[in-house]
């Protein structure tokens, strides 16, 4: 998978028929796509939905590789999938969000791979999606298990997180989680899957741009020759032509901080110093705030007053929202911050 940045992997959510797979791959190859995705075993939340074509799809993916010189990838989740893939010419696999959520499954996949007779097994390229829930440790844990077993061709995919609060996206992007992943594993290329974050076509382009602005290494995008007739994830799939337009309009910022001119660097450094100074002042103020809440905590205890006072809490949140509006700060951000600070004060008082 040695392609220049951004690395693009695209193809249908599911392989549905030989014709659909080959026509999608042909159209994608005309757009310059070199890496193809298609699920043949589909993890479905509920029974009764299309669960993939199974092993017969492997042949179609092999045909794509031979015909168009494209490398194909598919999802694996258990030892049967692994055995079928190891008997084929496919050597890129991805581990889906549901599987990454389960360390037993990850370890079983790894054990099946390393104990197979396939001598090239450690050359397999492995794309590891984030788990369903925003648990950075589970995601990193899966990566560490593969690393420990000797796999080196590892990639991570950010596909968003399931959330009951989310209204815009199918899976909430919670960008700080993939950015923390990148901080922990700077050498593992990080791709963004805007399709599973968005759940709908019109958000694929802005999410792809967002990922580029956040310095992601590539995109994993679902595309289908006829998205409206897709048997899975129809609403989020785009045509190869639409993918071409999105990629043509993508602004990729190649310049690293280190390559910037001395003048720009010194401007940014100056502002960073200012930010560092502000952060330190915020911490000092927080420390002072905690000291005061501890004093109040003692008084409450001595006088048998419960720690949590809902009237006071409502007032704090109301004042914060008013101030946020005055200062043109995002009120949701300020509400989140105040909830955190308040929860920590309550914890200290207890
Ligand atoms: C997929 O990529 O088709 C898929 C099932 O994704 P996820 O595991 O992210 O839900
Ligand atoms: Mn899908």
């Amino acid at each position: 998978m040695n392609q220049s940045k951004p690395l693009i992997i695209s193809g249908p959510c599911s392989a549905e028929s030989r014709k659909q797979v080959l026509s999608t791959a042909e159209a994608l190859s005309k757009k310059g796509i070199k890496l193809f995705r298609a699920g043949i075993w589909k993890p479905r939340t509920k029974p009764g939905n299309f669960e993939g074509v199974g092993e017969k799809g492997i042949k179609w993916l092999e045909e794509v590789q031979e015909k168009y010189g494209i490398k194909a990838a598919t999802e694996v989740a258990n030892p049967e999938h692994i055995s079928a893939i190891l008997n084929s010419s496919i050597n890129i696999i991805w581990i889906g969000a549901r599987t990454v959520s389960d360390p037993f499954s990850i370890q079983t996949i790894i054990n099946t791979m390393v104990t197979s007779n396939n001598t090239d097994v450690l050359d397999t390229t492995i794309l590891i999606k984030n788990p369903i829930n925003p648990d950075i440790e589970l995601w990193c844990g899966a990566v560490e298990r593969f690393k420990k077993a000797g796999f080196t061709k590892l990639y991570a995919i950010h596909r968003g997180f399931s959330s009951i609060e989310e209204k815009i996206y199918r899976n909430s992007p919670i960008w700080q989680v993939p950015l923390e992943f990148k901080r922990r594993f700077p050498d593992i290329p990080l791709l963004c899957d805007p399709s599973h974050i968005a759940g709908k076509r019109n958000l694929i382009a802005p999410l792809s741009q967002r990922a580029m602005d956040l310095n992601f290494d590539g995109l994993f995008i679902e595309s289908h020759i006829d998205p409206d007739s897709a048997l899975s994830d129809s609403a989020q799939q785009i045509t190869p032509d639409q993918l071409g337009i999105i990629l043509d309009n993508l602004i990729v910022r190649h310049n690293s901080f280190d390559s910037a001119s001395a003048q720009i660097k010194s401007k940014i450094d100056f502002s960073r110093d200012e930010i560092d100074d502000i952060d330190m002042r915020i911490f000092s103020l927080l420390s002072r705030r905690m000291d005061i809440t501890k004093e109040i905590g003692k008084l409450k205890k001595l006088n048998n007053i419960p720690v949590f006072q809902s009237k006071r809490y409502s007032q704090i949140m109301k004042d914060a929202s008013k101030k946020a509006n005055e200062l043109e700060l995002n009120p949701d951000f300020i509400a989140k911050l105040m909830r955190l600070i308040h929860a920590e004060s309550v914890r200290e008082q207890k």
Side-chain angles (χ1 to χ4, degrees), residues 13 37 42 196 222 233 236:
C13 176
R37 61 146 285 156
K42 297 306 297 179
H196 288 89
E222 286 187 341
D233 288 351
Q236 71 192 32

Side-chain angles (χ1 to χ4, degrees), residues 74-95:
T74 199
E75 172 170 354
V76 294
N78 63 36
E80 290 92 84
H81 302 164
I82 291 291
S83 309
I85 291 301
L86 291 183
N87 281 324
S88 77
S89 61
I90 313 282
N91 68 355
I92 310 176
I93 55 175
W94 83 80
I95 316 290

Side-chain angles (χ1 to χ4, degrees), residues 224-239:
H224 191 291
I225 199 68
D226 179 15
D228 288 333
S229 73
L231 299 181
S232 60
D233 288 351
S234 169
Q236 71 192 32
Q237 300 204 63
I238 53 175
T239 63

